[in-house]
Amino acid sequence: KETKAPEGYTIDNKMYPFEIKDNNQVISKTATDDKIIGKIEITKKDSKDSKKVLANTEFTIFDSNKKEIKKGVTDKEGKVVFENLEYGNYYYKETKAPEGYTIDNKMYPFEIKDNN
């Protein structure tokens, strides 16, 4: 049984049987772990009316070195989802405001540390 996974990977808790029948017998097994993958869902709202969601706002995801990874635009519910982000630290930033609004240029940090 795997008792500790490398950082950024899920642990395999399954017990694997094996049997030693001969003296000095070598058993060879390969174990695999999956990378931790997560997502972020961003909802854009009007700062003066928190019930009003804003469509057509572009957000960009950056890695820990502030290198651009993905872009997405909010839908009619004011939401944009970025999936398949591997374990690690990221930033998101509004890169295009909807018509009639000013852009929020701040970079916001977030972390993917658990699977899903």
Side-chain angles (χ1 to χ4, degrees):
K1 177 180 175 179
E2 180 177 9
T3 56
K4 185 175 182 183
E7 184 175 355
Y9 288 83
T10 60
I11 193 165
D12 181 357
N13 286 314
K14 185 177 175 185
M15 299 279 282
Y16 293 95
F18 67 96
E19 181 179 5
I20 303 291
K21 290 183 179 180
D22 299 319
N23 194 31
N24 294 322
Q25 180 181 355
V26 176
I27 306 266
S28 179
K29 296 281 185 179
T30 301
T32 59
D33 288 335
D34 294 325
K35 287 184 176 183
I36 290 176
I37 301 290
K39 68 180 177 180
I40 184 170
E41 179 180 285
I42 303 168
T43 303
K44 181 67 176 178
K45 295 183 178 184
D46 186 303
S47 63
K48 293 184 177 30
D49 179 3
S50 64
K51 292 179 183 174
K52 183 178 180 183
V53 295
L54 301 175
N56 301 316
T57 305
E58 180 185 82
F59 285 94
T60 303
I61 302 296
F62 299 88
D63 67 12
S64 61
N65 296 317
K66 298 185 179 174
K67 178 184 170 199
E68 183 180 311
I69 296 178
K70 298 180 179 189
K71 287 183 183 271
V73 177
T74 56
D75 60 18
K76 64 183 179 181
E77 281 91 36
K79 294 181 190 284
V80 62
V81 178
F82 296 94
E83 299 187 79
N84 298 316
L85 297 173
E86 292 183 4
Y87 176 90
N89 294 300
Y90 297 89
Y91 297 91
Y92 71 86
K93 178 181 174 184
E94 183 178 328
T95 46
K96 193 177 201 182
E99 189 175 331
Y101 288 87
T102 58
I103 195 166
D104 177 2
N105 284 314
K106 184 177 177 186
M107 291 189 96
Y108 294 92
F110 69 98
E111 180 180 11
I112 302 295
K113 59 182 179 178
D114 296 316
N115 208 34
N116 299 315

